Amino acid sequence: MNMLFFIVFLLFSALIFRLGIVQIVQGEDYQRKIERTEDITVNTSVPRGKIFDRNGQIVVDNVPQNAITYTRAKSPDADEMMETAEKLAQLIEKETDQVTERDKKDFWIRKNEEKAKAKVTDEEWAAYENDELSEDEIYDLQLDRITEEDLSELTAEELEVLAIYREFTAGYAMTPQIVKNQNVTDVEYAVVSENLSSLPGVNTTTDWERAYAFDSTLKTVLGNISSSKEGLPKEMVDYYLARDYSRNDRVGKSYLEYQYEDVLRGQKTKMKNITDKSGNVLDSEIITEGQRGHDLVLTVDMDLQIAVEKIIEEELGKAKRSGGHPLLDRAFVTMMDPNTGEILAMAGKKYEINDGKAEMLDFALGNMTTSYAMGSAVKGATILTGYMTGVNEPGEYIVDEPLRFAGTSPKSSWFNRGGAFGISDTYALMRSSNVYMFKTAMKIGGANYVPNGGLRIDMEAFSTMRKYFNQFGLGVKTGIDLPNEQAGYQGIVDPREPGKLLDFSIGQFDTYTPLQLAQYVSTIANGGYRMEPHIVKEIRQPMSDANKIGPVAEEIRPKVLNTLDLEPGWIERVQEGFRLVAQASQGTASGYFGDAPYKMAAKTGTAEGVYDGPLRENYKNQMTWNVTLVGYAPYDNPEVAMAVVVPWAYQSSANSIPINHNIGRRAMDKYFELKAQKAKEKPADAIVEQEILNKKETETES
């Protein structure tokens, strides 16, 4: 017993001595090894800002989604990642449609090492041993020799593991990568959450997806964002990385989402990942809570937008069903506040046959990305250009007569009503005289008209007239807060064709966008101020309560791009001419607007030219007519301006249709109908009501 106690004493003494060395002598070294971890701060994305219409209706929202993520270590262990993928595959269902043939071959080699080695001949292995073949070359030989039969050995379960492993490897080190965010069930979310301790790098979180309250309405203008798989666009990676983005962040790819990316992106959540010396994530903690992006309030009234789109669809469909209009495939309407530049509606529809079925596709973007000859709708700019260049006087009478030049067909108006005394500028607008515009252009070009003689024009007149037309917004970008706006197309000036200047004066040479046409008529409506159109009215701070709209962070104020250099009374002449078009018995639009209670001012247009649409290969040199309409109301106190453009409406006068007038009348009726309805039902719009509530809550808290 004494010997036994003595041995125990020696063992305890040795143990105590060893513990002393570990704790006292080597304690600091071991402590440093234990504490040898690294804190790495990463940013995680937050939901984007919402988009509302001018009345506070939600247009674009964020829908929360359950999501499963994987954060890869700085020095990943492929075997551990595969093991984790196998465990996760038992807990969730993962689609395998993204798995490529190369993915399958790599996976097959990993699962069948001996079979893969057998794909290489003894001679090739010998060459490898002699450094005649590299390891990569051997691997390429194995890949090339894997057959379809080999790949068919992979089971559905193995492919699911491969799909998950593929997501693991697709991410960037220390950055959460989405493994699954579509159709993650509550059961999957709960089971994965319960087993996180055995799934290193895996986490459960809440992701989001964009939701569109009005489906495809205005969708092309709203734009798109990249998916979590796409991440940053390749061509802009450096740009975004320099602005604290992660490679797999979702960003605006087009139009409104792209234009206001800095506003919508939000403040990212900052997280600290604690890793061990191998780079494996031991723990994560939030340093700074993120905040979703600021909200946008649009200038657009979605009720008006939807109504105008429906009007276009109905009128376009009716015209197509009537027959005789094979090239008619689109129509556009832009409505804006002429005093502020706010876009109230920007609608466009394109008629297409897909799989034998007729469809009306959203083409709102065509208002700013496509251009057409607008015809007589631009004659208001021609009249004012005559004043500003000093070749005409307000109220000047000019004889409307067929103009005959040597070697060409006569150029005339659709009517001749000049007589010995001629017609005035307002009458020329009311009846849409071509000759009044021709003679104005000839004066600008320094031409002296001699019947049956030649036409000699100073070709600088093209630049002169374009310069003045630009002041109305015709032929230049409008400045709208959206990317990829077109400026239109300038006809080629040829000294051998001086008569093209006459065509220019009646809108049949250069092309303009429907948005430019709306800016032009707004400039006339408001007395000569070219307003910059904008589709965003306000930027609002985000609110935690999903049902509330936050306070104003920034208001987009009206911006005057330029002011016409006019003498008193000049623009009033054109305004009066536009009023006569819609109100006088002989006005070209009076049959459609004469009885309108809102007192319209307008100008109609028809442009003849060679068809240049999508079917031009089948209709070479086919003559066609574009029909247009511009206007504003009420004429004595304008609050809404409108441009209607229907390209390639008909190909012969026998099939002419007033589709531009029908669309314009119905769109204007709808604007004033909705205005009266909202004034009756809502004394204050939703945004104003919310501001009142926010103010009351603040006062109560104070």
Side-chain angles (χ1 to χ4, degrees):
M1 289 295 291
N2 288 335
M3 183 60 69
L4 180 60
F5 283 136
F6 180 74
I7 293 173
V8 171
F9 171 78
L10 291 177
L11 290 175
F12 270 107
S13 297
L15 180 60
I16 293 171
F17 179 76
R18 178 59 182 165
L19 288 173
I21 292 175
V22 170
Q23 186 169 352
I24 299 172
V25 179
Q26 299 176 330
E28 292 183 2
D29 292 335
Y30 281 110
Q31 186 65 32
R32 281 194 293 270
K33 289 181 180 180
I34 292 173
E35 294 176 351
R36 190 179 175 185
T37 61
E38 186 176 0
D39 297 344
I40 299 177
T41 302
V42 297
N43 297 324
T44 59
S45 62
V46 294
R48 293 172 74 80
K50 301 179 181 181
I51 301 177
F52 300 86
D53 83 337
R54 66 184 298 114
N55 300 312
Q57 297 184 91
I58 189 71
V59 178
V60 182
D61 202 352
N62 301 306
V63 176
Q65 295 179 314
N66 290 335
I68 298 169
T69 65
Y70 179 79
T71 303
R72 201 174 78 189
K74 287 199 301 181
S75 302
D77 185 321
D79 291 333
E80 182 183 89
M81 291 171 66
M82 182 61 71
E83 182 181 347
T84 302
E86 291 171 349
K87 291 179 181 178
L88 186 58
Q90 297 175 7
L91 305 178
I92 67 172
E93 292 185 3
K94 175 68 177 175
E95 296 291 336
T96 61
D97 55 332
Q98 297 296 316
V99 175
T100 65
E101 182 178 353
R102 174 58 188 266
D103 293 331
K104 293 178 182 179
K105 288 183 176 182
D106 291 333
F107 189 71
W108 187 89
I109 291 174
R110 185 181 183 85
K111 286 289 185 180
N112 302 275
E113 292 184 6
E114 293 302 320
K115 290 183 178 180
K117 288 181 179 179
K119 296 285 185 182
V120 181
T121 65
D122 293 339
E123 292 80 6
E124 289 166 339
W125 280 119
Y128 170 72
E129 294 295 336
N130 295 328
D131 294 330
E132 296 174 8
L133 287 176
S134 67
E135 186 173 342
D136 289 340
E137 290 173 323
I138 290 292
Y139 193 77
D140 288 338
L141 290 173
Q142 292 174 320
L143 290 173
D144 291 340
R145 293 166 185 175
I146 294 174
T147 65
E148 288 292 333
E149 185 178 353
D150 292 329
L151 295 180
S152 67
E153 297 174 3
L154 297 175
T155 65
E157 291 76 13
E158 288 177 325
L159 289 176
E160 193 172 28
V161 171
L162 172 56
I164 294 174
Y165 180 78
R166 185 177 182 274
E167 299 292 352
F168 285 5
T169 58
Y172 299 94
M174 311 310 298
T175 301
Q177 168 74 11
I178 297 291
V179 176
K180 183 179 181 181
N181 62 353
Q182 298 286 335
N183 303 317
V184 177
T185 66
D186 292 338
V187 173
E188 288 178 330
Y189 190 85
V191 171
V192 173
S193 298
E194 291 172 359
N195 290 274
L196 291 179
S197 59
S198 62
L199 299 167
V202 175
N203 201 358
T204 52
T205 185
T206 301
D207 195 27
W208 53 271
E209 193 65 46
R210 277 309 219 191
Y212 300 88
F214 297 93
D215 298 323
S216 62
T217 300
L218 208 63
K219 183 70 167 56
T220 54
V221 173
L222 296 172
N224 295 308
I225 62 171
S226 60
S227 66
S228 56
K229 291 184 181 297
E230 291 176 296
L232 302 180
K234 292 181 180 179
E235 66 275 10
M236 298 187 69
V237 167
D238 293 338
Y239 172 85
Y240 283 119
L241 290 179
R243 285 156 179 78
D244 202 28
Y245 281 79
S246 299
R247 290 182 180 272
N248 61 351
D249 279 347
R250 281 172 283 183
V251 298
K253 293 197 301 182
S254 59
Y255 297 100
L256 200 67
E257 293 275 14
Y258 171 82
Q259 185 74 18
Y260 286 90
E261 170 64 26
D262 290 343
V263 173
L264 292 167
R265 65 175 290 202
Q267 180 181 334
K268 304 173 78 172
T269 300
K270 289 189 178 294
M271 296 188 64
K272 181 169 71 175
N273 286 335
I274 302 172
T275 66
D276 59 17
K277 61 183 179 181
S278 299
N280 298 311
V281 178
L282 301 176
D283 194 13
S284 298
E285 61 180 73
I286 295 176
I287 300 175
T288 306
E289 287 284 356
Q291 186 181 58
R292 71 173 175 84
H294 280 56
D295 299 330
L296 298 181
V297 177
L298 303 182
T299 61
V300 175
D301 182 337
M302 289 303 290
D303 293 331
L304 179 62
Q305 177 75 26
I306 292 171
V308 173
E309 288 189 2
K310 184 178 179 182
I311 290 168
I312 295 175
E313 286 186 6
E314 291 174 353
E315 294 295 334
L316 197 55
K318 184 169 64 175
K320 293 298 290 184
R321 289 191 297 271
S322 69
H325 310 286
L327 305 181
L328 172 62
D329 71 342
R330 65 194 65 188
F332 306 97
V333 175
T334 294
M335 304 181 79
M336 63 186 288
D337 185 333
N339 304 300
T340 64
E342 294 180 0
I343 300 294
L344 305 175
M346 191 162 73
K349 288 291 179 178
K350 184 188 289 186
Y351 177 92
E352 286 189 3
I353 302 293
N354 293 314
D355 297 326
K357 181 180 178 182
E359 293 182 314
M360 291 286 185
L361 305 180
D362 176 44
F363 196 31
L365 276 179
N367 282 278
M368 53 171 277
T369 61
T370 61
S371 63
Y372 312 93
M374 298 302 186
S376 299
V378 306
K379 286 178 178 176
T382 303
I383 293 291
L384 283 168
T385 297
Y387 299 162
M388 290 187 284
T389 55
V391 301
N392 285 346
E393 293 290 335
E396 181 174 341
Y397 280 72
I398 294 177
V399 175
D400 187 305
E401 59 184 333
L403 300 181
R404 293 178 171 84
F405 301 102
T408 65
S409 300
K411 297 180 78 68
S412 68
S413 303
W414 65 279
F415 73 100
N416 294 118
R417 184 69 180 278
F421 301 100
I423 60 175
S424 68
D425 44 8
T426 55
Y427 190 93
L429 289 172
M430 179 184 71
R431 298 290 286 163
S432 198
S433 167
N434 287 344
V435 174
Y436 199 103
M437 311 304 151
F438 293 159
K439 289 188 174 181
T440 298
M442 290 165 62
K443 289 180 182 179
I444 294 172
N448 181 28
Y449 174 61
V450 177
N452 298 312
L455 178 61
R456 295 183 179 181
I457 283 180
D458 181 356
M459 302 309 285
E460 286 298 316
F462 282 94
S463 298
T464 300
M465 293 196 71
R466 281 172 175 159
K467 180 184 70 174
Y468 283 102
F469 271 49
N470 290 169
Q471 294 181 36
F472 295 89
L474 297 171
V476 291
K477 293 183 179 181
T478 66
I480 190 172
D481 51 342
L482 289 170
N484 303 329
E485 179 187 7
Q486 284 195 8
Y489 173 78
Q490 291 188 350
I492 299 174
V493 177
D494 188 336
R496 296 169 297 179
E497 297 180 311
K500 295 297 185 183
L501 182 68
L502 279 58
D503 296 335
F504 177 92
S505 71
I506 62 170
Q508 298 197 144
F509 190 54
D510 287 2
T511 66
Y512 312 114
T513 68
L515 182 60
Q516 289 173 352
L517 206 61
Q519 188 180 52
Y520 144 76
V521 74
S522 293
T523 304
I524 292 175
N526 65 32
Y529 301 93
R530 184 165 77 99
M531 305 302 298
E532 182 179 74
H534 55 103
I535 200 166
V536 172
K537 182 180 178 70
E538 296 165 340
I539 298 171
R540 296 264 178 161
Q541 296 179 15
M543 295 286 285
S544 56
D545 189 334
N547 297 318
K548 292 184 178 181
I549 300 176
V552 176
E554 181 182 349
E555 181 182 357
I556 310 301
R557 298 186 177 279
K559 181 179 179 181
V560 179
L561 296 177
N562 63 267
T563 305
L564 299 181
D565 186 14
L566 303 172
E567 295 291 334
W570 284 4
I571 203 164
E572 287 78 6
R573 295 292 298 179
V574 174
Q575 290 172 341
E576 174 62 11
F578 277 28
R579 184 191 71 81
L580 293 173
V581 169
Q583 301 295 316
S585 60
Q586 296 185 69
T588 55
S590 62
Y592 298 89
F593 292 99
D595 62 346
Y598 40 80
K599 302 302 181 185
M600 183 81 166
K603 184 70 192 78
T604 57
T606 304
E608 181 183 5
V610 177
Y611 174 70
D612 59 350
L615 302 177
R616 54 185 172 273
E617 290 299 320
N618 300 327
Y619 292 88
K620 293 182 179 179
N621 300 318
Q622 172 67 55
M623 297 303 294
T624 186
W625 279 261
N626 304 336
V627 291
T628 59
L629 173 72
V630 295
Y632 54 88
Y635 71 84
D636 55 349
N637 187 24
E639 63 181 71
V640 58
M642 175 184 67
V644 179
V645 179
V646 186
W648 319 312
Y650 51 89
Q651 286 69 61
S652 69
S653 57
N655 292 322
S656 63
I657 50 175
I659 184 173
N660 53 331
H661 299 101
N662 294 336
I663 291 175
R665 173 60 194 260
R666 293 182 62 187
M668 272 294 188
D669 285 352
K670 181 56 67 173
Y671 169 83
F672 284 100
E673 176 189 325
L674 288 173
K675 177 187 174 183
Q677 178 182 327
K678 289 176 181 178
K680 183 178 180 180
E681 296 177 357
K682 295 182 180 181
D685 64 29
I687 293 179
V688 174
E689 290 176 356
Q690 187 60 60
E691 287 181 338
I692 294 172
L693 289 174
N694 291 345
K695 185 177 180 181
K696 286 182 178 179
E697 289 178 3
T698 303
E699 291 174 349
T700 302
E701 291 174 0
S702 299

